[in-house]
Amino acid sequence: MADSKGKAFDTKLFKRLLRFAIPYKWQLYVAAIAAILLSVFAALNPFFMKDAIDIGITQKKPESLIFFITMMGLVLLGQVIFQLLFIYFSNWIGQQVIRDIRVKLFEHMLQFKMQYYDTSAVGRLVTRAVGDIETIASIFSQGLFMIIADLLKMGVVLGFMFWESWQLTLIVLAVFPVILYATRVFQRAMKVAFEEVRTQVSNLNTFVQERVTGMKIVQIFNREKIEHEKFKAINKKHMDAWNKTVWYNSFFFPIAEMCTSITIGLVVWYGGLHVAESEAITLGVITAFISYIQMLFTPLRQIADKFNTLQMGMVAANRVFKILDTNSQIIDVGTKELKNVTGKITFDNVRFSYVAGEEVLKGVSFTAEPGQTIAIVGSTGAGKSTIINLLSRFYEIDSGRITIDGTSIADIKLKELRKEIAVVLQDVFLFADSILNNITLNDPSISEETVIASAKAIGVHKFISSLPDGYHYNVKERGAMLSSGQRQLIAFLRAYVSNPSILILDEATSSVDSHSEQLIQKAIGKITKGRTSIVIAHRLATIKKADLIMVMDKGRVVEKGTHKELLKNEGGHYQALYEAQFTEIATSP
């Protein structure tokens, strides 16, 4: 989407936003009718006040005075009713629209490739999905509809003014261009200012989110003072951006107020001179014009203020639509479903790069037979984890072919593919929810009884039962209430109850204590039985029984074989890795 920065109003963006309101047509009609009637009723009050003065008071007709005051009361009642309808439905539509946009945005974000999240700040995405979308609601509740209502009111008021006295109306209109020009300049300046405000809000959210998440690192490395100074700098930029909007407001509203006062003074001066000479200009007309001027200029000032709100909403909408327009999804054109999966996995000359021109995998080929356990070892950055990312289609390969049971994974429906694969990562992610929901991921087809039976089967039931509330224990955000070993056990159980055909373990025992590792080894033996398993391991002692061990180095498979076979390879990569770990263990205190 083109950047609309500097434009007072982006019509194309507004039309796109308005499409979300189309499903709520009758509510729009009610709001529109209420706005029209509200405009008419607002202009009727000065009209009846004029007659109350000229007829009821000046001509001393008490019955007429009572009639006109009664009419003013009825008009006021009508204003209250239609204003209630207008405010309710305009706000209601705004909430419906942001609900629909938020759902669409979140659904869109769920389909993004992992590569998108690798390069996007979480705080910025949260700002778009929560703060920015909330700001969009103000377009309908305080911006768009209010501006339309005010414009209608101004149009009706001008009509009444011409009806009462075209001379006084021309005096008013002589000053009108000044305030219109000031409003136009104000709108353009505020557009740019609000762009900067939203940018700084996003930067502030991103900074706070990252530091709160990484607070342990901040404190361990004594970075509190440094991060505090950084926060002060970012917060100052945020304040400066808002102060710019305050500065523009400080100029505009006094100018608008001055124009109103000058116009009233000119009308009173001109009308006062001619009230005795002309029957068209009476004391009641002058009084009515004072009200009309307030009704004409006040909405114009308010329109400028509401235009600020509209601009904030439009800026937010532009940012949200940029994410909606981001094409970063895995293209799911697969038509095949996996049935009776045996779990044969083949990588055929697979090449892949996260960044164009910088290959991570350089022609990787291997085959995992059904039921086999294949271990992948190698130094950091060798491309081990990339293999599981590609098998799960979190990223698209550059060239080559990956198949399961002879079928290319590109031809398999994405949902069907991932249903057959379970992954246990080194860094286990748990939601702020119960253990049960973290295991089932709210899948209604997996009962609590099934989870308990599975936990007993892999030896983790005792551990879960020992926790307060057992399976209903809330682990808090990211599983903070559990140790790393306990989180791993939950991840193994989650993988086990999903009953996958292919199991992937990525460094699953690299950071746990010896007791948890014993439980995990037992769990591994249970859940890998009868399944094709790919184990990425740092501790070579844990993969001695693997059917095949692949050694990777700089994106290539440099050695293959069993543990015993690879140890016989003098000067080989595996032997060097094994001896290095053995020496490390032997010399450790």
Side-chain angles (χ1 to χ4, degrees):
M1 182 182 294
D3 187 8
S4 58
K5 189 172 182 178
K7 291 171 62 178
F9 191 78
D10 192 331
T11 307
K12 185 178 179 181
L13 177 64
F14 179 71
K15 286 180 179 178
R16 182 176 180 183
L17 185 62
L18 206 57
R19 292 191 201 111
F20 284 91
I22 291 176
Y24 312 105
K25 283 183 179 179
W26 76 265
Q27 289 90 348
L28 278 169
Y29 293 150
V30 171
I33 292 171
I36 293 169
L37 292 176
L38 185 61
S39 303
V40 174
F41 274 66
L44 280 173
N45 245 328
F47 179 79
F48 286 122
M49 181 174 63
K50 178 209 68 173
D51 287 341
I53 293 172
D54 288 343
I55 299 175
I57 296 176
T58 304
Q59 297 181 21
K60 297 181 180 181
K61 295 182 178 180
E63 65 281 0
S64 297
L65 181 62
I66 293 172
F67 171 77
F68 290 124
I69 291 175
T70 302
M71 292 302 295
M72 289 172 67
L74 292 174
V75 166
L76 185 62
L77 179 63
Q79 277 185 272
V80 170
I81 293 172
F82 291 116
Q83 191 164 29
L84 186 151
L85 290 172
F86 174 73
I87 292 174
Y88 174 78
F89 281 103
S90 59
N91 279 274
W92 186 90
I93 292 168
Q95 291 303 315
Q96 300 302 311
V97 167
I98 65 168
R99 179 200 63 184
D100 295 344
I101 294 176
R102 186 175 282 128
V103 168
K104 185 172 182 179
L105 178 66
F106 189 71
E107 181 185 26
H108 191 67
M109 289 168 62
L110 286 173
Q111 310 303 320
F112 281 157
K113 299 176 185 177
M114 289 300 105
Q115 196 165 5
Y116 179 84
Y117 294 105
D118 292 342
T119 57
S120 299
V122 175
R124 187 166 282 109
L125 292 176
V126 171
T127 301
R128 301 293 178 268
V130 181
D132 281 343
I133 288 184
E134 201 64 41
T135 305
I136 292 174
S138 63
I139 292 177
F140 297 91
S141 60
Q142 303 171 39
L144 169 68
F145 290 164
M146 289 293 186
I147 290 174
I148 292 174
D150 284 341
L151 288 173
L152 282 171
K153 183 189 291 186
M154 291 169 64
V156 172
V157 166
L158 275 173
F160 272 85
M161 289 171 70
F162 271 111
W163 174 267
E164 295 293 347
S165 172
W166 63 267
Q167 298 100 321
L168 294 179
T169 304
L170 290 178
I171 292 175
V172 174
L173 292 179
V175 184
F176 210 63
V178 177
I179 195 169
L180 279 177
Y181 177 74
T183 302
R184 183 66 173 171
V185 172
F186 179 65
Q187 288 169 354
R188 287 184 177 274
M190 291 299 284
K191 167 70 175 179
V192 177
F194 280 134
E195 285 276 4
E196 180 63 19
V197 166
R198 295 313 302 171
T199 298
Q200 295 307 325
V201 167
S202 180
N203 291 341
L204 192 62
N205 286 346
T206 298
F207 184 89
V208 172
Q209 189 274 333
E210 287 181 346
R211 269 58 185 184
V212 170
T213 303
M215 189 58 69
K216 185 180 293 185
I217 300 298
V218 171
Q219 294 183 356
I220 285 174
F221 289 94
N222 295 318
R223 290 186 59 84
E224 292 93 338
K225 186 176 181 180
I226 295 172
E227 298 301 336
H228 179 245
E229 292 301 320
K230 283 186 177 180
F231 179 79
K232 284 170 63 178
I234 292 175
N235 197 38
K236 185 179 183 302
K237 287 182 180 179
H238 176 260
M239 179 193 70
D240 290 342
W242 271 110
N243 280 344
K244 192 176 290 185
T245 70
V246 173
W247 178 254
Y248 292 146
N249 276 300
S250 300
F251 267 98
F252 173 74
F253 287 103
I255 291 173
E257 192 65 40
M258 182 181 68
C259 289
T260 302
S261 299
I262 290 173
T263 307
I264 291 174
L266 289 173
V267 165
V268 171
W269 169 74
Y270 182 86
L273 291 177
H274 293 77
V275 70
E277 302 173 5
S278 172
E279 293 183 1
I281 301 177
T282 63
L283 187 61
V285 170
I286 295 173
T287 305
F289 258 77
I290 293 173
S291 295
Y292 284 141
I293 291 168
Q294 293 285 358
M295 293 172 66
L296 190 66
F297 280 34
T298 299
L300 189 59
R301 294 200 303 271
Q302 290 175 348
I303 283 175
D305 195 30
K306 289 163 188 172
F307 202 88
N308 296 346
T309 302
L310 179 61
Q311 294 284 36
M312 286 283 282
M314 293 291 283
V315 169
N318 188 42
R319 294 177 182 273
V320 170
F321 285 144
K322 280 182 179 178
I323 296 181
L324 284 172
D325 292 337
T326 300
N327 185 20
S328 185
Q329 291 86 359
I330 293 290
I331 302 173
D332 186 11
V333 294
T335 57
K336 297 181 180 179
E337 297 184 2
L338 292 172
K339 295 180 180 179
N340 303 317
V341 180
T342 64
K344 182 177 180 179
I345 303 169
T346 302
F347 272 59
D348 182 14
N349 195 30
V350 173
R351 293 181 175 273
F352 172 75
S353 54
Y354 292 103
V355 179
E358 300 178 14
E359 280 192 331
V360 177
L361 296 186
K362 304 171 183 177
V364 171
S365 298
F366 69 89
T367 297
E369 297 296 339
Q372 269 192 338
T373 296
I374 291 187
I376 306 175
V377 299
S379 58
T380 302
K384 305 185 299 296
S385 296
T386 300
I387 287 178
I388 65 172
N389 286 332
L390 297 181
L391 183 60
S392 303
R393 282 198 76 193
F394 289 133
Y395 301 88
E396 296 281 28
I397 62 176
D398 297 339
S399 64
R401 196 164 184 257
I402 304 173
T403 65
I404 295 177
D405 288 356
T407 303
S408 172
I409 61 172
D411 297 330
I412 303 169
K413 292 179 180 178
L414 198 57
K415 189 174 182 180
E416 290 291 318
L417 171 68
R418 291 176 179 169
K419 187 174 68 175
E420 298 296 333
I421 301 173
V423 181
V424 180
L425 300 171
Q426 176 185 2
D427 183 18
V428 177
F429 185 91
L430 298 179
F431 295 96
D433 205 338
S434 68
I435 287 178
L436 179 64
N437 288 339
N438 269 291
I439 293 167
T440 65
L441 297 178
N442 295 298
D443 185 343
S445 67
I446 305 175
S447 65
E448 185 173 351
E449 292 73 21
T450 301
V451 172
I452 293 173
S454 300
K456 289 178 179 178
I458 67 172
V460 299
H461 175 69
K462 185 178 179 181
F463 140 63
I464 297 175
S465 299
S466 68
L467 295 170
D469 299 324
Y471 288 85
H472 297 279
Y473 179 63
N474 193 310
V475 300
K476 304 303 180 183
E477 188 174 358
R478 299 181 67 88
M481 303 305 291
L482 302 177
S483 69
S484 59
Q486 289 172 331
R487 290 197 294 270
Q488 286 287 0
L489 292 171
I490 297 300
F492 274 100
L493 184 53
R494 179 160 62 190
Y496 186 63
V497 298
S498 68
N499 194 28
S501 301
I502 298 169
L503 178 68
I504 297 172
L505 308 179
D506 185 4
E507 302 278 12
T509 62
S510 64
S511 59
V512 297
D513 56 79
S514 57
H515 175 68
S516 295
E517 185 173 355
Q518 290 176 6
L519 291 175
I520 289 172
Q521 290 300 337
K522 180 181 177 181
I524 289 175
K526 182 68 178 179
I527 68 176
T528 57
K529 188 176 181 180
R531 292 186 175 88
T532 304
S533 304
I534 298 177
V535 181
I536 296 174
H538 176 69
R539 298 180 184 178
L540 303 186
T542 63
I543 58 167
K544 289 181 179 180
K545 296 180 181 179
D547 298 303
L548 177 68
I549 298 174
M550 295 194 314
V551 184
M552 294 192 68
D553 184 52
K554 297 179 181 178
R556 291 186 172 89
V557 177
V558 292
E559 290 177 353
K560 290 182 185 178
T562 63
H563 174 70
K564 290 182 179 179
E565 291 171 348
L566 291 173
L567 281 181
K568 293 177 182 178
N569 187 6
E570 291 294 334
H573 285 76
Y574 185 80
Q575 187 186 67
L577 287 170
Y578 187 79
E579 288 178 354
Q581 284 196 16
F582 181 79
T583 302
E584 182 182 342
I585 293 170
T587 57
S588 62

